[in-house]
Amino acid sequence: MNLHWMLRAKRWAQNPPSAKQVKFVLAIIAVCIALFAYERIMGWPDWLTPNNVGRMPR
């Protein structure tokens, strides 16, 4: 771990994020996990898969 990250950790320990900010980050992580789980269970929809058209001619 280099000095930059140690100083950053020190600043973060002195001024921790607010509870509102922590809840916001946890909510975003929960949404991402829910989307991942839905995609794993239901599969990827065909309408979101792009057509394989190849390269554009110049």
Side-chain angles (χ1 to χ4, degrees):
M1 193 183 253
N2 63 18
L3 184 60
H4 173 72
W5 287 105
M6 294 296 278
L7 291 173
R8 191 174 218 189
K10 175 187 169 271
R11 269 188 265 135
W12 188 75
Q14 288 176 342
N15 300 317
S18 66
K20 185 177 179 181
Q21 205 171 12
V22 172
K23 288 178 188 176
F24 179 70
V25 170
L26 290 177
I28 291 173
I29 292 171
V31 167
C32 291
I33 290 172
L35 286 173
F36 177 77
Y38 179 80
E39 191 270 330
R40 283 301 220 182
I41 292 169
M42 298 298 193
W44 186 257
D46 289 336
W47 60 272
L48 279 176
T49 303
N51 296 333
N52 189 8
V53 294
R55 292 187 60 172
M56 296 285 292
R58 290 187 178 200

